[in-house]
Amino acid sequence: MNKQTQDGSEGGSAVLAVGSVNMDMVVTCQRFPRPGETIFAHSFGTFPGGKGANQAVACARLGGRVTFLGKMGEDAFAEELTENLRSNGVTVERLSSSSPTGVALITVDDAGENQIIVASGSNMELSIEDVDRHEALFAEAGVVLLQLEIPLEAVIRSVALARRHGATVILNPAPACHLSASLLAQVDILTPNRIEAAQLAGLPTDGVPDATASAQTLLDRGVGAVVVTLGAEGVLIVTEEGERCIPAHSVHAIDTTGAGDAFNGALACALAEGRALDEAVQFANAAAAVAVTRLGAQVALPDRPELELFVGETVGS
Ligand code: ATP
Ligand code: RIB
């Protein structure tokens, strides 16, 4: 990374995650209901979620030094979500809103597939002014980690502040929306899944989109490196040096909710430790593989010893 730890503490440079925090309401059932149909669930539970918070926790569990900047309502969910972040070792810069804290309604079927509806609430109130007021966090960060569950203008300002202070920018463009060429040109590492990559590149999204073509288009628009996550197929990395594929680990997937978050949080952690991109992607690929073997977004995330056990070698030190 281009910014080293300033205070001499161990664990690499600091990571700043700017993004969403939700309470996930998760129902498991045999199959998804058809429109107008009522079915019985196997189970119901509430789990801390939101892409920004999930990625912050993923990074912290693996030993990263992470601050989360996000907006919550003045309600019981906000208290629970804040406490959860803190108990996972994340420093929380919590902004308050009169809108309710975000929630996500998630259905997981027996095949491990999910359907998600997000009611963004306070997440969509994070403003440019909020970001500006926290510029000091960007000055401290070596890596800034972003997604698209907050207003796009807040993302654009965060990217600008990260660049101003020399931090590496990881943008996980989920859920996908149109991103300008000027924004893409400021992103060091873009981490779409296959569909998001095609959407951003303006290529067809039906069938199985060509990840290489999408990534090359995005690289041509100025992104530093495009890392396309391919679910059970693994990861495609495309940089100016060329493209390479990293196969997924073979695991029994129970719930892929938050697989991308596990991947992005681990990627940020590894980059903040000073690892090169390909090595960091391998680390993230392993962390995400562990995460899909359990139900829930955050509760499924591995800690460092578990990940080291999984890969069968010491990945730290
Ligand atoms: P989500 O939106 O559900 O969080 P995503 O679409 O952003 O996920 P995916 O491409 O599905 O992200 O998965 C991210 C990464 O997780 C993959 O690149 C891979 O490393 C890992 N992964 C996902 N599914 C599996 C699987 N079935 N087996 C092993 N690894 C997996
Ligand atoms: O990526 C998974 C997350 O997306 C869930 O935790 C849910 O809150 C939605 O934001």
Side-chain angles (χ1 to χ4, degrees):
M1 283 306 84
N2 42 13
K3 200 186 294 178
Q4 293 304 313
T5 306
Q6 303 288 312
D7 59 5
S9 60
E10 294 185 1
S13 58
V15 175
L16 173 63
V18 184
S20 59
V21 54
N22 295 326
M23 187 59 84
D24 291 351
M25 317 252 167
V26 183
V27 164
T28 62
C29 52
Q30 188 194 357
R31 61 172 177 82
F32 299 124
R34 288 180 283 271
E37 186 185 19
T38 300
I39 62 171
F40 287 107
H42 298 317
S43 68
F44 168 75
T46 58
F47 299 89
K51 293 186 192 300
N54 293 346
Q55 294 181 17
V57 170
C59 183
R61 286 250 180 102
L62 293 168
R65 222 157 33 87
V66 195
T67 298
F68 171 76
L69 175 63
K71 207 157 204 174
M72 302 183 215
E74 291 163 2
D75 47 37
F77 284 160
E79 298 307 322
E80 198 177 330
L81 292 167
T82 303
E83 174 50 31
N84 170 70
L85 283 162
R86 291 198 173 124
S87 67
N88 276 287
V90 176
T91 301
V92 184
E93 284 294 336
R94 172 177 155 187
L95 309 174
S96 283
S97 164
S98 54
S99 296
T101 300
V103 295
L105 306 182
I106 301 180
T107 310
V108 181
D109 73 5
D110 279 353
E113 294 294 328
N114 64 56
Q115 290 183 339
I116 304 179
I117 303 174
V118 176
S120 297
S122 52
N123 292 304
M124 280 298 170
E125 312 243 319
L126 189 70
S127 66
I128 291 173
E129 293 73 25
D130 291 328
V131 173
D132 281 345
R133 272 196 295 276
H134 292 81
E135 182 165 355
L137 297 176
F138 292 82
E140 289 162 13
V143 177
V144 172
L145 183 55
L146 297 151
Q147 320 75 32
L148 297 175
E149 286 189 332
I150 57 173
L152 185 56
E153 56 263 32
V155 172
I156 292 170
R157 184 57 66 100
S158 296
V159 170
L161 292 187
R163 300 288 298 190
R164 178 185 293 171
H165 293 286
T168 297
V169 175
I170 304 175
L171 175 58
N172 174 220
C177 67
H178 174 74
L179 300 180
S180 69
S182 70
L183 177 63
L184 288 172
Q186 297 177 72
V187 173
D188 294 297
I189 303 169
L190 189 73
T191 58
N193 65 19
R194 189 193 290 272
I195 303 289
E196 290 153 359
Q199 287 173 323
L200 293 173
L203 296 174
T205 55
D206 49 330
V208 182
D210 181 342
T212 302
S214 304
Q216 193 58 56
T217 301
L218 294 165
L219 199 69
D220 292 345
R221 290 191 194 151
V223 175
V226 184
V227 174
V228 187
T229 61
L230 303 171
E233 289 172 46
V235 190
L236 172 72
I237 307 172
V238 181
T239 63
E240 277 183 356
E241 287 75 47
E243 68 171 83
R244 49 270 183 208
C245 286
I246 295 177
H249 291 267
S250 181
V251 295
H252 178 53
I254 299 290
D255 176 15
T256 59
T257 310
D261 298 334
F263 183 88
N264 280 279
L267 182 68
C269 177
L271 291 170
E273 287 176 3
R275 290 168 195 254
L277 178 64
D278 288 35
E279 195 192 341
V281 168
Q282 297 204 23
F283 182 82
N285 189 42
V290 174
V292 301
T293 63
R294 293 186 286 248
L295 186 67
Q298 286 182 30
V299 291
L301 295 165
D303 61 16
R304 191 70 168 235
E306 186 182 13
L307 184 59
E308 289 178 358
L309 199 64
F310 178 76
V311 297
E313 61 185 16
T314 303
V315 292
S317 67

